[in-house]
Amino acid sequence: MIDRLTHIYQLYDRIMESTARACGPGCAGCCTCNVTLTRLEARLMTNRLPSSRRRSIYAAVTQRFPENRYIPKTSTNGFARLCMEDADLPEEENDPAWGRCPLLENDLCTGYDVRPFGCRAMVSETDCRDTGCAQMPSWILTVNNVFLQAIEHLDPDGYSGNLSDMLHRALSGNDVTGQDIQNHDLKNHKLFVKNEPITCLMIPPEHREQMAPIVRDLSELINTGLERNQGQGQGNDR
């Protein structure tokens, strides 16, 4: 599964090669403590790092653990499902002012080569330090949503959560299962949400034709027929 996840990252990089962006080394305006990732992404980070870097990242997360951070109430695929069901969406708090990512050192990411998709997808046409926010074309938002859905679908029995919570648990060896979270057996499981398979893709009508080859490539990577779910979502942004 980790190899498939790596291939998904590589596919995204190829798609984004020709996209204009202002991002570069030392540009950490979007690197807040509010990034989320799946259990599989946390495993990729920990498995691909040498032991010395795992220890240093664990120390950084422990020492700079954010008191306030984004705690998801539903996963990306859960969000899409709720939209399709016209159900009430859970209220979530997400404030960039809560602080910086604990993996930052001198505005550089200490885990950049194994960073999760939530970091890879945060790109901007303008310098966030000048504008105060990222400027991202709606087409890129659609691409990002579908990739997030595919990455979650790759780990349907797992869970997702804030980067600090996920890495602290993964690096401490204190793992939990998706079933544990679903059953809410422990108080700490409120930090995580159960992953869900894709039931619909969040692709607005104006992007469906352009997204078709990307959906086919992703479908091959995760070995499922995503095309069956295309055209169902409304393009909602989280």
Side-chain angles (χ1 to χ4, degrees):
M1 286 298 182
I2 286 181
D3 287 340
R4 291 187 194 177
L5 177 59
T6 300
H7 291 150
I8 289 176
Y9 287 167
Q10 292 169 347
L11 173 62
Y12 183 77
D13 290 342
R14 291 196 297 272
I15 293 170
M16 297 297 292
E17 279 177 350
S18 60
T19 302
R21 69 187 79 181
C23 314
C27 176
C30 295
C31 301
T32 73
C33 62
N34 298 324
V35 172
T36 62
L37 71 163
T38 66
R39 176 187 61 173
L40 188 61
E41 291 185 283
R43 286 181 175 173
L44 183 148
M45 293 185 73
T46 56
N47 290 356
R48 297 284 169 87
L49 291 172
S51 56
S52 59
R53 285 183 65 196
R54 285 200 299 268
R55 288 193 296 269
S56 64
I57 285 179
Y58 181 68
V61 170
T62 302
Q63 294 166 10
R64 304 170 193 158
F65 200 89
E67 180 178 357
N68 295 314
R69 59 201 181 282
Y70 171 59
I71 306 295
K73 298 293 181 62
T74 183
S75 68
T76 303
N77 286 333
F79 178 85
R81 175 182 54 77
L82 289 173
C83 289
M84 284 299 299
E85 295 171 354
D86 198 25
D88 291 335
L89 299 175
E91 294 185 8
E92 297 180 321
E93 294 183 80
N94 191 342
D95 189 347
W98 283 337
R100 290 155 56 87
C101 176
L103 302 189
L104 284 177
E105 292 278 2
N106 299 318
D107 283 340
L108 295 175
C109 177
T110 58
Y112 186 80
D113 52 327
V114 291
R115 68 199 185 283
F117 185 78
C119 301
R120 297 169 189 267
M122 185 51 69
V123 296
S124 179
E125 295 178 312
T126 58
D127 193 325
C128 302
R129 293 166 293 188
D130 296 333
T131 62
C133 62
Q135 300 293 326
M136 194 181 300
S138 61
W139 153 249
I140 298 300
L141 285 173
T142 297
V143 173
N144 290 348
N145 279 334
V146 171
F147 268 80
L148 284 168
Q149 290 189 259
I151 289 170
E152 180 183 342
H153 187 92
L154 198 61
D155 186 24
D157 296 323
Y159 56 96
S160 300
N162 183 279
L163 180 141
S164 294
D165 295 307
M166 297 287 284
L167 285 187
H168 188 272
R169 186 170 290 275
L171 291 168
S172 67
N174 185 22
D175 203 0
V176 294
T177 68
Q179 188 64 44
D180 289 335
I181 295 168
Q182 193 172 34
N183 292 338
H184 298 289
D185 290 336
L186 297 177
K187 181 179 179 181
N188 283 342
H189 291 173
K190 293 179 181 179
L191 297 173
F192 310 109
V193 292
K194 181 76 171 59
N195 290 346
E196 297 187 23
I198 291 172
T199 56
C200 61
L201 289 174
M202 294 190 285
I203 303 177
E206 64 270 21
H207 294 157
R208 286 174 189 165
E209 182 177 355
Q210 196 174 3
M211 283 297 300
I214 296 175
V215 170
R216 284 195 297 269
D217 288 342
L218 280 172
S219 184
E220 291 179 2
L221 286 176
I222 62 178
N223 289 340
T224 190
L226 293 186
E227 295 92 339
R228 294 193 302 269
N229 304 301
Q230 189 172 0
Q232 298 296 317
Q234 302 300 313
N236 305 77
D237 300 330
R238 291 202 76 193

